[in-house]
Amino acid sequence: MRLLSIFILSGFILVTHSGCSKKAENTSSLTIQLDPAVFGTSAHKLAASSNTNQDGPNWGLSDPTSLSQINCFGIVVGGPEANLRSSRCTNANGIEIARFEPRAGFFKVGDKAEISVPAGNDRHIYLFGLASSNGTCDPGFDISPDVQASKYSAPFVIGKAVANLSKPEEVVDIYLTNQFTNDNKIQDCSFFSDDGDQPEDITLSFYQSKRRYWIADNDLPRTVNFSHNGVSARCSRDGGTSFGSCDTSSSIIWQEADRGQDHIIEVTHSDGSIQTKTFKPDDQFGAVVFKSCNATVSNTQTSFSPIVSVISAPNQTVCFEDGTQISDGGPTLTPGVNTHLMVRQGQTASIENTSNHTVSMPNSGASTNIISGLSVVANQAAMHAVFVSATSSALTLIVEDSTLHSKQSGNALHAYTAGPNVTIDIDNAKLIGDLNNASTLVANVNTINTTVDDSELRGHGKVIDAYTADFTIRNSIIRAQGSMGILSHTSAGASTTIESSFLYDESGKGLKLDCTGGSPTVTLDGNTFVREIQTAGILGAAIVSDGSACTNNINSNNNDNLFCNRSATVPNFSAIVGASAATVAGTFVPGSNNGGTISACGPDIP
């Protein structure tokens, strides 16, 4: 028997199990316990819902909007074997988001739960969370299809992970999401109507894209895979006016011109009956903007000089072929006005400059420039992976699903301008700074507004060097790794907001809010702060407010930051040091087992 224990701490789940010597045993027992400090512990107070669902139960409560309103949970586990895929759940968009068989619940947050799972690889663990009107949680949804929906909100998938239950010990991390949208809302499950032993006749699987900007000839993200238990299938791309062959026996590729049309998959069964499934691409990808390639960088290219003129032309979409790898000491690449550097989804390309800035944005003429799917590396002292210089016109820079990496004393992204407004939008990207005397993300003046979503910022120097610029960071990971130990450096007039993010002090010097003048405002809401190690002579604090010449206005409007300490050498762990009570709004709650107890943060981090 293997024992798998799941602990919910500091906004993520740690999963470990240990094996026994009985080789004949092929079952794992999962023991789960949620930390009440992260979730709700009393009855959900949201209003009753007047909505009715076409599919699934009519949930009695309105949807929760944060983890603090969740007081019941369920656990389900799936795998590649048929006996671990006989039940399914679909989200509010009608898309299947989970296949599984064992299920357990509902349990109160704080109670221990247990579920038996066949041992093996690729075990998909899903955590469902929902709210109860009276604080009680019906324990029988694993064996009964009758759910008392009127007393609950709709369930949401609040965490998931994949674990291999075949080794003596495993560690798996699950991030808890504080997002409650139609994408993770459970609209219906097969066992709600007790038909879990019969898979749905037609199920759809959409490409999970991280981008807003797609290359028009890239078929991969426009491919919808489907499965069915009929004998044949045909497809319509015009709402059923005409039918023809699907692109393959199990997929259909929708076209940009047809994105607003209903697409219908029609399946014929052995008894002659017909069943259909309809989807409209715009329902899933309505915000996508398509770009057509005007120029191509070949994967046989090895130097910058031949492509400088291609990239510097205005109004171009320059597409890098799959496998492109350029490492060269050549000139900086400067995209023209409204010129974009893109890689098709499912493909890779990288450019590295060993002498100069790798990419420098245009500095004249109003421009929107996009970097999508590309790895941009700077490997020369004082040179940057992406540089925004002084500009005489407004500039918007969009970086999505890309990596910006400074290997030496330059920055991953450095924006310096005294001109009109510059907007920087970073989405699903990774920014890395390797050296202590460099910053990862720099914006110098108050005409620069930077937004970071669903990204990772990692640096050995200043992770964020804001000066007077405004920053908003949401749903991201920030790792302060170097000897400077600085998370955010702000100056007069700056405003930095960090929400629903994980912040790791990996240098042992605190996540310093270092201001050198003026009166910056730092707003911290819904974050998890993890203190990893302790450095001799440094205060044992999660946040160190440092800067005698300025006032740190540290706000916690939603009162849901969590601090935990992993260092056993800090006897007096504090949440904040250096900011007076008058400059701290809201309540900052340290981890329940701080003061040097390693288990406060669990044995590992994401």
Side-chain angles (χ1 to χ4, degrees), residues 1-5 16-31 114-121 164-170:
M1 174 72 73
R2 295 178 175 86
L3 178 62
L4 178 61
S5 298
T16 63
H17 74 85
S18 56
C20 61
S21 60
K22 295 181 180 180
K23 295 184 178 180
E25 189 63 69
N26 62 355
T27 301
S28 295
S29 178
L30 285 66
T31 302
E114 187 169 321
I115 182 173
S116 293
V117 181
N121 293 333
N164 294 330
L165 308 186
S166 57
K167 298 179 181 179
E169 184 175 0
E170 297 287 348

Side-chain angles (χ1 to χ4, degrees), residues 363-521:
N363 57 15
S364 63
S367 181
T368 295
N369 295 90
I370 301 169
I371 299 175
S372 180
L374 184 64
S375 175
V376 183
V377 181
N379 197 359
Q380 173 63 33
M383 297 298 167
H384 313 307
V386 173
F387 182 49
V388 180
S389 61
T391 176
S392 59
S393 304
L395 172 71
T396 296
L397 171 60
I398 298 167
V399 179
E400 62 170 14
D401 198 22
S402 296
T403 298
L404 311 184
H405 185 182
S406 171
K407 292 185 176 180
Q408 296 200 37
S409 58
N411 308 317
L413 193 159
H414 185 112
Y416 175 79
T417 175
N421 287 342
V422 170
T423 299
I424 299 175
D425 187 353
I426 300 170
D427 194 8
N428 279 294
K430 182 177 290 186
L431 276 65
I432 305 169
D434 282 352
L435 298 186
N436 289 337
N437 58 341
S439 300
T440 302
L441 178 58
V442 178
N444 290 64
V445 297
N446 58 11
T447 57
I448 303 174
N449 295 286
T450 302
T451 301
V452 180
D453 287 291
D454 302 298
S455 297
E456 180 176 350
L457 307 178
R458 186 168 78 232
H460 284 71
K462 301 171 183 177
V463 180
I464 303 168
D465 202 345
Y467 289 84
T468 61
D470 292 333
F471 275 81
T472 299
I473 301 172
R474 296 175 293 237
N475 302 306
S476 295
I477 297 172
I478 303 174
R479 296 182 183 275
Q481 298 178 313
S483 60
M484 296 180 75
I486 294 176
L487 167 68
S488 179
H489 178 188
T490 59
S491 293
S495 173
T496 298
T497 298
I498 305 176
E499 300 174 339
S500 303
S501 296
F502 288 82
L503 298 90
Y504 298 101
D505 172 17
E506 299 179 359
S507 67
K509 292 195 173 184
L511 299 170
K512 296 176 69 176
L513 301 174
D514 177 18
C515 45
T516 57
S519 182
T521 297

Side-chain angles (χ1 to χ4, degrees), residues 16 54 72 95 110 202 220 267 294 340 359 370 382 401 418 449 549 554 566 573:
T16 63
Q54 293 181 348
C72 297
I95 307 304
I202 308 173
L220 178 63
V267 170
N294 305 111
H340 317 306
V359 175
I370 301 169
D401 198 22
N449 295 286
I554 302 175
R566 201 185 305 285
F573 179 68

Side-chain angles (χ1 to χ4, degrees), residues 80-152:
E81 299 90 339
N83 65 332
L84 293 178
R85 295 178 54 81
S86 57
S87 293
R88 58 176 175 78
C89 288
T90 53
N91 65 12
N93 296 318
I95 307 304
E96 180 179 292
I97 58 173
R99 277 270 182 182
F100 54 90
E101 177 44 41
R103 61 183 187 265
F106 299 126
F107 305 100
K108 289 183 179 179
V109 169
D111 288 353
K112 287 186 178 181
E114 187 169 321
I115 182 173
S116 293
V117 181
N121 293 333
D122 296 323
R123 297 301 181 245
H124 292 247
I125 303 168
Y126 300 87
L127 185 67
F128 291 0
L130 66 167
S132 167
S133 61
N134 59 8
T136 63
C137 305
D138 293 332
F141 104 109
D142 57 328
I143 58 175
S144 171
D146 297 323
V147 178
Q148 297 182 33
S150 60
K151 62 178 286 188
Y152 294 111

